[in-house]
Amino acid sequence: DSNGLTAFGADGFTVGSDVIYNNNTDTYASWNFKANGAGSSNGDGGTTSTVSANTAIGFSIVQYAGAGGTQTMGHGLDKAPELMHCKPTAGYAYQWVTYSKNGNNGAAGENGYLSLQYTGGWNSLSGIWSNTAPTDTVFTTGGSQNTGASGGTYINYCWHSVEGVTKVGQYVGNGDVNGTFAYCGFRPSFVMCKNVGATGEWYMYDDQRIGYNVDNNSLSSSSTAAELTADDIDILSNGFKLRIATGPNLANNFIFLAMAENPFKYATA
């Protein structure tokens, strides 16, 4: 969308007049993760990719061209990605597909995918990641039009855990108001979680929209609805705790991504 986010700046970003981004009087949320500028050529895999990577937080942005069969691309990180979100940007109009190391209802997820824009659980499809887990240098795709078909251009956001900064993890809900505690090792500023054992939203919480316990409102990438105001979670000093018996705390397997409010790993005090 050429009239949505129109410019990246040194201290922020600019949006255009598209009502999806800038409707008069509406309030918006934005989550921003710093990579490493415009990116550079990466030849670690069989297919050269363009990579912008921030190894300090375990995050990279990868652009590459599909080859129509099994191919490998460098991701620029120093550990294997535990979570990836991939989408065609040209050539094909397909959904966001997600790799999670625990995406298959808590088991290894390289032989299928979750969808970032839909509520469904894990889907089996070997052509997505060619049944191959990422390594410390590359990730692998098959010939699927979602991730690597000939004539397609793709973007992939890659994440792995970094102690004190980023946590890619999983928890099991207990279906009780005295809910499950998910350990992160830091106080989260942002939390995203998804039920991988059954249908459910991608719930996203942060410490800016109200941002104090118990009022941590949620938005979802799998819904166009306004934020939900149910009191789902408490954000704690070393993780988060579920406070409802439904939604993100059903008795199923969940995956999550959390980012630290203050990354103590790099504190100088």
Side-chain angles (χ1 to χ4, degrees):
D1 187 345
S2 60
N3 199 30
L5 195 155
T6 58
F8 291 97
D11 60 351
F13 59 89
T14 304
V15 295
S17 59
D18 191 314
V19 295
I20 296 175
Y21 303 80
N22 193 19
N23 195 39
N24 188 34
T25 75
D26 283 355
T27 303
Y28 293 80
S30 171
W31 303 291
N32 307 276
F33 308 101
K34 188 177 187 300
N36 191 25
S40 58
S41 179
N42 184 300
D44 286 343
T47 299
T48 299
S49 56
T50 300
V51 177
S52 181
N54 184 345
T55 57
I57 68 170
F59 171 59
S60 70
I61 304 170
V62 184
Q63 186 183 50
Y64 62 95
T70 298
Q71 61 185 127
T72 57
M73 282 68 61
H75 51 66
L77 300 173
D78 50 18
K79 289 176 57 180
E82 299 167 278
L83 182 71
M84 299 189 295
H85 301 305
C86 185
K87 192 179 190 305
T89 59
Y92 301 96
Y94 276 79
Q95 62 183 304
W96 284 98
V97 291
T98 295
Y99 163 83
S100 167
K101 68 173 185 176
N102 303 120
N104 183 5
N105 196 17
E110 57 264 20
N111 59 337
Y113 69 97
L114 297 161
S115 174
L116 189 63
Q117 65 201 70
Y118 297 114
T119 61
W122 189 84
N123 299 276
S124 176
L125 185 61
S126 60
I128 292 285
W129 315 111
S130 198
N131 282 343
T132 305
T135 71
D136 289 352
T137 55
V138 301
F139 64 92
T140 304
T141 65
S144 167
Q145 294 177 348
N146 294 279
T147 56
S150 179
T153 302
Y154 296 87
I155 202 79
N156 193 9
Y157 302 136
C158 304
W159 301 90
H160 66 69
S161 298
V162 175
E163 184 180 1
V165 181
T166 305
K167 179 66 175 177
V168 180
Q170 64 173 325
Y171 67 87
V172 179
N174 65 9
D176 193 275
V177 293
N178 183 14
T180 296
F181 168 71
Y183 176 77
C184 299
F186 51 75
R187 180 178 177 84
S189 179
F190 170 82
V191 174
M192 177 175 69
C193 55
K194 172 72 174 78
N195 189 336
V196 295
T199 297
E201 303 285 354
W202 289 85
Y203 294 96
M204 295 183 286
Y205 308 89
D206 60 64
D207 61 358
Q208 299 301 307
R209 292 174 296 124
I210 300 181
Y212 53 82
N213 299 334
V214 291
D215 288 311
N216 294 296
N217 295 343
S218 66
L219 285 165
S220 174
S221 67
S222 48
S223 171
T224 59
E227 66 182 1
L228 302 176
T229 58
D231 298 331
D232 294 354
I233 72 170
D234 280 348
I235 294 176
L236 307 176
S237 62
N238 59 349
F240 61 96
K241 183 175 175 62
L242 284 301
R243 291 296 189 188
I244 60 172
T246 59
N249 192 39
L250 290 172
N252 289 115
N253 289 301
F254 287 78
I255 58 169
F256 72 88
L257 168 69
M259 302 296 296
E261 180 181 59
N262 293 300
F264 290 117
K265 181 180 176 77
Y266 300 102
T268 57

